Amino acid sequence: MLILSSLAGGDKHGYALVKDVEEFAGLHIAPGTLYEALARLERQGLIEALKSDDRRRPYRLTAAGATVLSEHLSTQ
């Protein structure tokens, strides 16, 4: 949910996701953990990788991801 919450604020690449989560949740996500989670979320159709001209690959929240995040937040 932390990654989905971060992407709800706009498209971000891995490093920006780590920094954003650190800022709003106070948690550090290790790179291996982050990229494993990104791959799983992408397989589930909750996020999508965007094309990039450099090494950084930005990710975007999909409509399905926004729905899952909204449902999660409404139950909290």
Side-chain angles (χ1 to χ4, degrees), residues 6 11-22 34 56:
S6 179
D11 304 347
K12 293 179 185 72
H13 55 76
Y15 182 74
L17 281 164
V18 167
K19 290 301 174 190
D20 190 43
V21 169
E22 283 179 353
L34 173 70
R56 298 182 206 179

Side-chain angles (χ1 to χ4, degrees), residues 30-49:
T33 302
L34 173 70
Y35 289 103
E36 183 179 311
L38 290 171
R40 182 175 31 83
L41 292 168
E42 192 172 13
R43 279 192 310 272
Q44 293 172 343
L46 303 179
I47 66 171
E48 63 185 352

Side-chain angles (χ1 to χ4, degrees), residues 6 16 23-25 29-30 32 39 46 50 52 54 56 71 74-75:
S6 179
E23 187 176 305
F24 77 79
I29 301 174
L46 303 179
L50 303 174
S52 175
D54 62 17
R56 298 182 206 179
E71 288 173 357
S74 69
T75 63

Side-chain angles (χ1 to χ4, degrees), residues 4 46 61-74:
L4 297 181
L46 303 179
L61 188 64
T62 64
T67 299
V68 166
L69 179 60
S70 177
E71 288 173 357
H72 175 78
L73 294 176
S74 69

